[in-house]
């Protein structure tokens, strides 16, 4: 009987060690203009997208595991503003909108996360992910050096970052998020905004960095992104 108990305890310790090994992440993530550097080592990472609201929470573990089995190191996803804030200051992070749960499931599978906050996401998603109420704010102009837009963009971005921090999900906290993205494919439309485009991009970069995630920020398709983006 005593031997059986000792065996069970040993097995439980082994399970705990295995779980720790599969969910332990680097705490120091940087970029040296050649590669992502995780705990002092340059890494070549293979990533793929799973947009959490395009499937149900019951489907997420299988999708994530298949991604891992297929050789991915990183799961990337956009954050869909119009789903999470369908009415101004009224939030929805339940069911298929449960971003925290999705990120934690990716972590449990031993994969990294690239959190593409945007909040403009494109993604063949209605209105690029912008909530409809945003359109009716007096004086607003989207994705340019416009104070009403920047106020709302910063508020939502900060909320998502704060949610991730509260759950210790950034790599700097021992979590799986190694990258975050601000804006999205802006270079394709930049010329339409004239001189205001440059000041907007500079502002967006500075705003993101000020949120102090402890991991690098990126801009997709933005060759002139300000350092250290």
């Amino acid at each position: 009987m005593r031997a059986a108990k000792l065996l069970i305890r040993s097995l439980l310790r082994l399970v705990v060690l295995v779980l720790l090994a599969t969910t332990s992440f680097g705490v120091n993530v940087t970029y040296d203009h050649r590669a992502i550097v995780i705990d002092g080592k340059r890494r070549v990472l293979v990533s793929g997208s799973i947009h959490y609201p395009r499937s149900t929470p019951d489907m997420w573990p299988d999708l994530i595991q298949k991604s891992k089995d297929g050789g991915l190191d990183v799961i990337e996803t956009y954050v869909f503003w119009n789903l999470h804030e369908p009415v101004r200051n009224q939030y929805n992070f339940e069911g298929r909108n449960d971003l925290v749960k999705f990120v934690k499931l990716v972590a449990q599978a031993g994969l990294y996360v690239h959190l593409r906050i945007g909040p403009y996401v494109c993604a063949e998603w209605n209105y690029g992910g912008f909530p409809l109420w945003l359109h009716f704010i007096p004086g607003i102009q989207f994705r340019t050096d416009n104070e009403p837009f920047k106020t709302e963009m910063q508020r939502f971005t900060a909320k998502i970052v704060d949610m991730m921090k509260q759950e210790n999900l950034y790599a700097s906290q021992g979590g799986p998020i190694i990258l975050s993205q601000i804006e999205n494919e802006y270079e394709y439309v930049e010329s339409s905004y004239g001189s205001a485009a440059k000041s907007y991009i500079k502002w967006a970069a500075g705003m993101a960095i000020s949120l102090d995630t402890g991991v690098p920020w990126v801009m997709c398709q933005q060759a002139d992104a300000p350092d250290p983006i």
Side-chain angles (χ1 to χ4, degrees), residues 65-196:
Q65 186 60 47
K66 285 177 178 175
S67 300
K68 183 176 183 178
D69 293 344
L72 296 190
D73 305 297
V74 184
I75 299 296
E76 57 183 68
T77 185
Y78 289 118
V79 178
F80 298 88
W81 189 359
N82 60 348
L83 289 187
H84 293 306
E85 194 179 6
V87 177
R88 195 178 188 186
N89 294 317
Q90 295 182 25
Y91 297 99
N92 182 350
F93 290 95
E94 299 179 355
R96 67 176 65 205
N97 297 340
D98 194 340
L99 176 59
V100 167
K101 179 177 181 177
F102 177 78
V103 173
K104 287 182 176 180
L105 286 172
V106 176
Q108 289 172 20
L111 298 177
Y112 294 117
V113 173
H114 177 193
L115 193 65
R116 307 178 70 181
I117 299 174
Y120 175 78
V121 299
C122 190
E124 291 70 54
W125 192 268
N126 190 42
Y127 219 30
F130 286 155
L132 186 60
W133 55 261
L134 197 66
H135 178 82
F136 298 101
I137 292 177
I140 199 165
Q141 291 179 291
F142 294 173
R143 305 178 76 195
T144 189
D145 194 359
N146 171 266
E147 291 304 321
F149 177 74
K150 291 191 297 183
T151 296
E152 296 301 326
M153 176 176 169
Q154 181 168 358
R155 182 179 59 80
F156 180 74
T157 303
K159 181 173 183 63
I160 297 300
V161 168
D162 288 345
M163 286 181 63
M164 300 302 108
K165 283 183 176 181
Q166 288 171 15
E167 299 292 334
N168 296 317
L169 293 175
Y170 282 102
S172 55
Q173 303 171 296
I177 303 173
I178 59 170
L179 292 170
S180 286
Q181 180 177 310
I182 195 72
E183 251 300 338
N184 187 49
E185 300 181 353
Y186 190 70
E187 194 170 67
Y188 295 141
V189 298
E190 187 171 350
S191 62
S192 302
Y193 293 98
S195 61

Side-chain angles (χ1 to χ4, degrees), residues 23-40:
T23 59
S24 179
F25 297 94
V27 296
N28 186 10
V29 183
T30 58
Y31 173 65
D32 68 358
H33 295 278
R34 289 184 60 191
I36 292 293
V37 181
I38 299 178
D39 290 340

Side-chain angles (χ1 to χ4, degrees), residues 187-219:
E187 194 170 67
Y188 295 141
V189 298
E190 187 171 350
S191 62
S192 302
Y193 293 98
S195 61
K198 296 294 184 185
S199 54
Y200 166 65
I201 283 298
K202 184 177 180 180
W203 168 84
M207 181 271 289
I209 293 165
S210 74
L211 297 175
D212 193 25
T213 62
V215 303
W217 285 87
V218 303
M219 286 182 172

